[in-house]
Amino acid sequence: MEPGEPADSSAGFTSPCRVGTFEFDVETDTLAWSDALFEIYGYVPGSIVPTTELLIESSHPDDRAQAATVLARTLASGVGCVHAHRIVTPAGEIRHIVIVGSPVENPETETIGFSGYAVDVTRTTESVVTESVNDAVQSVVASRAVIEQAKGALMFAFGVDADTAFGVLSWQSQTHNLKLRALAEQVVKDLQTFDPAVLDVKAGVSHVVLTAHRRLPRS
């Protein structure tokens, strides 16, 4: 295949809940993708040079302005983000993804980059209808299981299914070397003080999920 040629969507790249990772260097303005992330965006691994401009251009036209705003805010503030939006592959396929990014700091606590992952939730997003989402949210609200409650918050805020929500929590626990239950407990505790009338739901839940590890005692 020629450089930049779209990946063949029939070549095994359509499994649900694929996860790709990325690293961004602020000083050099360079972006590195894992092979899986190339495939999620519809490219053969290594066939193009990923850039922040490509991220915006790949966004669905209806989601592009919001994606640009989130990216600009993240780079300017040095604060991580959780962002759910649609992308359009070079072949014209619409995919739903959730991006989770955290800042990378030097010893002087200056933000020198970002690292994180993107989850392709296309199949689960397309298969979940409003009624089933509402039923799931009601179920987790009534449940005492703290992990289920944390999953429910992500499901409600980002419109993803239970498996994807669990995947985001799992990746956060692994990234920060924390027990999943402890992380979920902190997320639920933080959300109890969250006022959706004051803060945007997505932004609020995003902030809580990305920073919960900072409020947990280290063993």
Side-chain angles (χ1 to χ4, degrees):
M1 291 185 175
E2 295 297 323
E5 184 173 350
D8 181 356
S9 62
S10 65
F13 299 149
T14 57
S15 59
C17 294
R18 291 170 299 169
V19 177
T21 59
F22 66 86
E23 294 183 358
F24 177 71
D25 187 302
V26 171
E27 183 176 352
T28 61
D29 192 31
T30 55
L31 184 63
W33 282 357
S34 68
D35 287 354
L37 195 52
F38 275 101
E39 294 165 2
I40 288 173
Y41 274 82
Y43 293 98
V44 173
S47 64
I48 61 166
V49 177
T51 62
T52 53
E53 289 78 12
L54 178 65
L55 293 179
I56 302 303
E57 293 172 1
S58 298
S59 300
H60 187 283
D62 293 342
D63 297 347
R64 193 167 294 155
Q66 183 184 24
T69 298
V70 171
L71 178 60
R73 182 173 63 233
T74 299
L75 294 178
S77 67
V79 177
C81 71
V82 178
H83 180 55
H85 68 289
R86 294 166 294 176
I87 61 173
V88 182
T89 70
E93 180 182 357
I94 297 176
R95 292 178 179 171
H96 299 253
I97 65 172
V98 177
I99 294 179
V100 181
S102 299
V104 176
E105 298 179 339
N106 62 17
E108 288 73 40
T109 69
E110 299 170 330
T111 299
I112 59 175
F114 293 88
S115 65
Y117 53 94
V119 186
D120 180 0
V121 296
T122 303
R123 285 191 176 182
T124 55
T125 300
E126 292 176 346
S127 65
V128 175
V129 296
T130 302
E131 182 177 355
S132 63
V133 170
N134 289 338
D135 288 344
V137 171
Q138 292 301 320
S139 175
V140 296
V141 167
S143 171
R144 291 186 176 184
V146 68
I147 294 177
E148 292 302 311
Q149 293 176 29
K151 283 165 53 180
L154 269 71
M155 290 166 64
F156 179 79
F158 300 110
V160 297
D161 73 335
D163 288 342
T164 302
F166 182 77
V168 171
L169 291 172
S170 296
W171 273 72
Q172 284 299 104
S173 70
Q174 293 172 26
T175 298
H176 300 290
N177 195 27
L178 295 167
K179 290 183 177 180
L180 179 59
R181 176 172 293 277
L183 180 66
E185 287 176 345
Q186 188 62 50
V187 168
V188 171
K189 179 181 177 181
D190 292 340
L191 288 175
Q192 290 174 350
T193 63
F194 171 69
D195 185 357
V198 176
L199 296 174
D200 175 78
V201 172
K202 286 186 177 181
V205 175
S206 169
H207 175 75
V208 165
V209 171
L210 285 173
T211 61
H213 66 279
R214 301 177 185 173
R215 293 179 288 280
L216 279 170
R218 293 289 177 175
S219 56

